[in-house]
Amino acid sequence: TPDESGNGGGDGGEETTAQEETESTGPAGTFTLWHQRAEAEKKALEQNAEAFTSETKHTADPAEIADLRKKTTSAIPAGQGASMFDWAHDWTGEYYQNGFLSDQSENLDVDLSVYTQPAQAAVQFDGATVALPYAAETVGLIYNKDLVDEPPETIAEMVSIMEEHHDPENGKYGLSYPLNAYFMSAWAHAFGGYYFDESNVELGLSKEATLDGFRLILDNFVPYQPKDTGYDPQAAVFLEGNAPFAINGPWFLGDVKSNGIDAGIARLPSPEGDAEPKPYTTVKQLYFTTRVDEDEAKAAAAREFAEWYTTNTDVLSNNAEEFGYIPVHKELAESGDLPAAVEGFSKSVALGTPIPSHPNMGDVWGPLEDAFNSVKNGDAELQSAFERAEADIRSNWE
């Protein structure tokens, strides 16, 4: 069979279709799982694959790929590539529509109800189940315990604490918050607004409820931030101990720890009234590619690993403890036994909404950010800026 290790073959990365019968029913299979994980996470995945291989008749072979998007989009249509790959759910719609993914809904032994509702939605497209989910990510409120005793529950409480610490002339700020479209989504959704409704393929950027969310950011957060709202300048002020709050995700915690900041994590604070922040969430998942359709032994091995990995509470708890992965296994997510950091992010995930996996979503990010920045910099009015952004996005869809 074509090599799917991504490393030129001959290195144990080839996918075999061994048909030898084992003591249990059905043939043993070997499959390759492509991933692009950081070093510590990669080692954990390799250990998990070894554990699975020793416990079952199947063989799991993880292979690190440098540019996963490039590799999957070139190899899979050529009848090559791995049976499974590991990535966030935002490729689901595009990859399924392009014929890269296999619908395994009729073949799975795990019921999707064991996962949280957003995770169930993330692994499906047009009624097909093309992956299984193992973790979620979103942004939450990170606070410096040396500067803040208790995290604020409301925006009003947060503003009063930011006010107390904000002293830009001396390099101190109220808030560290990268203002990109993903990070801002909580407030755009808080009052019933939205960026993109994938069920109707409809934009909501210029809707009043969405604009209310952007106004909230401009009125309550921007005045307390460093002027440059890019990721690195914003991250730096929190990491240097010069801001009481950061709005960021679990990926930020490694830097927070290595800078010696004693941080707590809480759900995002609520605006006044009935509004609740609903940040975009991403679901990390194991995708089934069309390679699994070639051979039942290979398919069975890949499915069994995905089912094992996404429901094994020891694996999932370790991922939470070591890497801040937020469990989407419902029982574990609701157990109250999660590490404190993960518990805080988990509450934000519970409020959140999955990033649309529709292919058209990719065109939304850039024009949205350009519109917001033009308003923030005083170069445009809110309503007209986002009406223009919608026109730009629609022209890209034509």
Side-chain angles (χ1 to χ4, degrees), residues 19-226:
Q19 295 293 324
E20 73 269 18
E21 292 291 331
T22 58
E23 287 173 50
S24 55
T25 56
T30 296
F31 74 94
T32 298
L33 167 64
W34 279 357
H35 68 87
Q36 198 176 306
R37 293 193 180 190
E39 196 57 33
E41 295 165 71
K42 170 186 154 181
K43 281 184 181 155
L45 179 63
E46 287 167 352
Q47 288 164 355
N48 296 146
E50 283 169 20
F52 169 80
T53 299
S54 68
E55 288 172 25
T56 68
K57 63 190 176 187
H58 300 301
T59 303
D61 180 21
E64 184 182 6
I65 300 297
D67 186 340
L68 195 61
R69 185 170 178 87
K70 186 177 176 186
K71 196 73 182 173
T72 47
T73 53
S74 60
I76 297 169
Q80 300 175 345
S83 295
M84 281 204 302
F85 66 90
D86 172 27
W87 193 257
H89 79 276
D90 53 334
W91 294 353
T92 305
E94 177 194 343
Y95 276 41
Y96 183 67
Q97 287 189 348
N98 287 340
F100 300 167
L101 304 177
S102 175
D103 178 10
Q104 292 294 309
S105 47
E106 299 299 312
N107 307 317
L108 293 166
D109 284 334
V110 65
D111 194 291
L112 291 186
S113 63
V114 305
Y115 309 110
T116 61
Q117 198 63 49
Q120 292 177 43
V123 298
Q124 298 179 80
F125 193 82
D126 279 354
T129 302
V130 296
L132 288 180
Y134 65 88
E137 284 185 334
T138 194
V139 298
L141 185 69
I142 304 173
Y143 61 99
N144 184 328
K145 290 183 177 177
D146 291 336
L147 304 177
V148 180
D149 294 330
E150 287 292 322
E153 291 185 11
T154 66
I155 299 267
E157 289 171 31
M158 184 173 163
V159 167
S160 68
I161 299 169
M162 291 191 295
E163 187 74 52
E164 194 184 315
H165 291 275
H166 190 64
D167 182 11
E169 286 180 12
N170 290 304
K172 297 191 183 299
Y173 297 88
L175 177 64
S176 153
Y177 183 21
L179 291 182
N180 66 37
Y182 174 72
F183 278 64
M184 295 192 291
S185 60
W187 318 109
H189 295 142
F191 304 98
Y194 58 91
Y195 290 172
F196 176 63
D197 173 1
E198 65 182 327
S199 55
N200 299 308
V201 193
E202 186 182 282
L203 292 165
L205 298 179
S206 65
K207 288 191 177 300
E208 196 54 33
T210 314
L211 297 178
D212 283 343
F214 292 129
R215 282 189 194 99
L216 183 147
I217 297 168
L218 292 163
D219 294 346
N220 296 281
F221 297 142
V222 169
Y224 300 101
Q225 297 180 242

Side-chain angles (χ1 to χ4, degrees), residues 162-371:
M162 291 191 295
E163 187 74 52
E164 194 184 315
H165 291 275
H166 190 64
D167 182 11
E169 286 180 12
N170 290 304
K172 297 191 183 299
Y173 297 88
L175 177 64
S176 153
Y177 183 21
L179 291 182
N180 66 37
Y182 174 72
F183 278 64
M184 295 192 291
S185 60
W187 318 109
H189 295 142
F191 304 98
Y194 58 91
Y195 290 172
F196 176 63
D197 173 1
E198 65 182 327
S199 55
N200 299 308
V201 193
E202 186 182 282
L203 292 165
L205 298 179
S206 65
K207 288 191 177 300
E208 196 54 33
T210 314
L211 297 178
D212 283 343
F214 292 129
R215 282 189 194 99
L216 183 147
I217 297 168
L218 292 163
D219 294 346
N220 296 281
F221 297 142
V222 169
Y224 300 101
Q225 297 180 242
K227 213 171 213 63
D228 185 337
T229 51
Y231 190 92
D232 290 339
Q234 292 295 317
V237 294
F238 189 81
L239 297 175
E240 290 157 5
N242 290 329
F245 298 120
I247 293 177
N248 216 313
W251 53 84
F252 189 47
L253 294 183
D255 290 340
V256 171
K257 281 180 190 163
S258 62
N259 279 270
I261 305 286
D262 183 13
I265 288 90
R267 52 156 283 186
L268 294 168
S270 301
E272 285 178 21
D274 298 332
E276 286 291 9
K278 297 183 180 71
Y280 267 150
T281 62
T282 47
V283 174
K284 293 170 175 278
Q285 54 194 38
L286 301 178
Y287 285 88
F288 301 107
T289 77
T290 46
R291 286 299 305 278
V292 301
D293 299 332
E294 300 167 9
D295 178 87
E296 187 40 48
K298 188 191 293 185
R303 278 195 304 273
E304 202 170 316
F305 178 79
E307 291 164 354
W308 176 84
Y309 187 84
T310 62
T311 61
N312 185 313
T313 51
D314 289 340
V315 169
L316 300 171
S317 297
N318 186 65
N319 281 344
E321 194 73 56
E322 294 297 318
F323 313 118
Y325 286 6
I326 303 160
V328 294
H329 183 272
K330 199 185 287 179
E331 201 177 296
L332 186 60
E334 295 169 359
S335 67
D337 295 334
L338 299 173
V342 175
E343 194 70 59
F345 284 121
S346 194
K347 286 173 180 166
S348 280
V349 165
L351 288 171
T353 183
I355 287 182
S357 59
H358 192 286
N360 285 17
M361 182 65 198
D363 292 318
V364 176
W365 305 109
L368 187 165
E369 288 177 15
D370 290 345

